Amino acid sequence: MKIAFVGSAFLETGMTYQEQYATVAKAGYEYNPYNADFPGFWKRPKYTIDEVKWHAKAIKDAGLKIASLTTGFRIQVPDEFMRKYAVECWKKMFDLGEAMGVTVFNTELEPGRGNPELCEAKLMTSLDELVPIMERRGLRMDIQAHPDDFYEHNNDAYDIIRYYNSPSLAYLYSCPHTFHYDGGKGNIEKNLKYARKHLKHVLFADTYDYTKLFRYNINPSKLYADGTVRCHAHIGKLGEGDIDFDRIFKTLREIGFNEQDDTIATFNPLGFPERAIEDGIWARELIEKNLVGVPDIKEPEPEGYGIYAR
């Protein structure tokens, strides 16, 4: 298991790339899922080979390695021209990743709550083309459901990964999305164990339960009440929000997530870059305490595709 610090914490801070990488290293991390302005999201990556080499060298000079490359393209959109364009963007991103020595990418399902069935059909049409390419090239894409994506629930998102059953397609569980994964129930054990077969990546940050009154204040409030606005946080100090991390760590140990060489545990704070080192050290030590060198409590994998039925 690799422990990483995602670079999105430093977006729009004015920090140089070297300063961002130095901060991650100072917090004691070995891996950095690359997620700065370069290469970017949603538009075709525009870069020169010299830029790629420069970033790879800067990360190496900071004493870091890249665990995964965070990006995303609209391969789920109903518009067929844009969907095909997004597929080509992913192919370009594969080339960029390989030039930087990266074989793992992580991304989101992307929006489309108004028409989830069509978005699923478009996404799977795109994956029908991309998965064989990744398999041939030894690449992997870790996909998460994000609030306001066409599927927000854990099981709906994972079922797409399960369908392909490919080493090149894995599931990403984002802790700060926990309450969106099942409509506010927060059933951590059930969600993680349902996806255990293909779970390769977990994002760590805390959040508030959006179903609780006044956890978030949105105006006009009716947009929050009727679900038009989706709210969640990425609190760097694990334990400050409503997530029960003891349950998360215990379940991850039960499914053997921490015993696999190809899994990634990523610290993913947002909003408080001035606390990056302090919170980063806290999170790393907590992850190490609960997932590195701990007694084995792995449960045998049940027959069938999941321990829980839908």
Side-chain angles (χ1 to χ4, degrees):
M1 182 189 71
K2 302 177 177 67
I3 303 177
F5 189 145
V6 73
S8 54
F10 310 115
L11 288 175
E12 300 187 9
T13 61
M15 295 171 66
T16 66
Y17 290 114
Q18 292 97 327
E19 288 171 339
Q20 294 178 28
Y21 304 146
T23 300
V24 171
K26 193 170 182 179
Y29 288 78
E30 181 181 1
Y31 291 93
N32 177 40
Y34 186 61
N35 184 9
D37 301 327
F38 173 88
F41 289 72
W42 304 307
K43 297 179 181 179
R44 180 170 294 182
K46 304 173 183 71
Y47 59 86
T48 66
I49 191 63
D50 288 339
E51 289 174 315
V52 173
K53 290 180 178 178
W54 184 91
H55 280 280
K57 183 177 184 301
I59 293 169
K60 183 178 180 180
D61 288 347
L64 300 173
K65 303 173 185 177
I66 305 174
S68 64
L69 196 155
T70 307
T71 188
F73 305 102
R74 311 291 196 188
I75 57 175
Q76 90 298 352
V77 293
D79 182 272
E80 187 62 8
F81 172 81
M82 290 302 297
R83 186 197 68 80
K84 290 181 178 179
Y85 172 80
V87 169
E88 294 305 311
C89 289
W90 262 117
K91 294 176 183 177
K92 188 72 171 176
M93 187 59 68
F94 294 157
D95 294 338
L96 183 150
E98 288 189 320
M100 297 182 76
V102 180
T103 59
V104 179
F105 305 81
N106 67 88
T107 191
E108 302 166 3
L109 288 178
E110 303 291 351
R113 284 194 292 137
N115 202 342
E117 291 183 6
L118 179 57
C119 288
E120 180 191 88
K122 291 290 185 175
L123 175 71
M124 296 184 76
T125 298
S126 300
L127 291 176
D128 287 345
E129 180 176 352
L130 291 173
V131 169
I133 293 173
M134 291 189 291
E135 289 177 341
R136 288 196 301 269
R137 298 173 68 168
L139 306 176
R140 191 181 89 199
M141 183 188 298
D142 299 344
I143 299 180
Q144 63 167 302
H146 192 280
D148 203 44
D149 279 359
F150 70 86
Y151 284 151
E152 296 179 321
H153 285 188
N154 179 84
N155 293 7
D156 291 330
Y158 172 68
D159 282 348
I160 295 174
I161 311 303
R162 179 173 60 85
Y163 166 80
Y164 286 95
N165 194 29
S166 168
S168 288
L169 204 62
Y171 187 63
L172 188 157
Y173 183 97
S174 179
C175 295
H177 304 167
T178 289
F179 299 105
H180 288 275
Y181 281 152
D182 55 12
K185 297 175 184 176
N187 195 328
I188 293 165
E189 293 85 355
K190 185 173 182 179
N191 289 334
L192 286 170
K193 289 183 178 181
Y194 188 82
R196 66 183 294 169
K197 184 176 181 180
H198 300 94
L199 179 66
K200 294 296 181 180
H201 202 149
V202 176
L203 300 186
F204 285 91
D206 213 333
T207 193
Y208 301 114
D209 183 349
Y210 74 94
T211 68
K212 305 297 184 184
L213 193 62
F214 298 130
R215 287 293 202 272
Y216 300 95
N217 292 299
I218 303 295
N219 295 305
S221 58
K222 65 179 181 180
L223 297 180
Y224 184 44
D226 67 13
T228 299
V229 173
R230 296 308 210 217
C231 294
H232 74 291
H234 282 242
I235 304 169
K237 185 63 178 294
L238 306 186
E240 281 191 358
D242 292 323
I243 298 290
D244 187 338
F245 283 97
D246 287 340
R247 292 168 59 197
I248 286 179
F249 288 129
K250 181 176 183 292
T251 306
L252 290 175
R253 295 197 302 270
E254 287 175 349
I255 64 178
F257 176 87
N258 56 320
E259 297 176 346
Q260 302 173 52
D261 293 335
D262 60 349
T263 53
I264 305 172
T266 297
F267 178 49
N268 186 202
L270 292 172
F272 296 92
E274 68 276 9
R275 290 175 16 186
I277 294 178
E278 174 188 347
D279 289 348
I281 292 173
W282 168 265
R284 177 181 53 77
E285 291 179 347
L286 198 61
I287 293 170
E288 290 175 345
K289 176 183 177 181
N290 285 277
L291 294 180
V292 177
V294 294
D296 182 10
I297 58 172
K298 184 177 179 181
E299 295 179 346
E301 187 169 352
E303 295 183 4
Y305 65 84
I307 191 169
Y308 294 107
R310 291 175 60 87

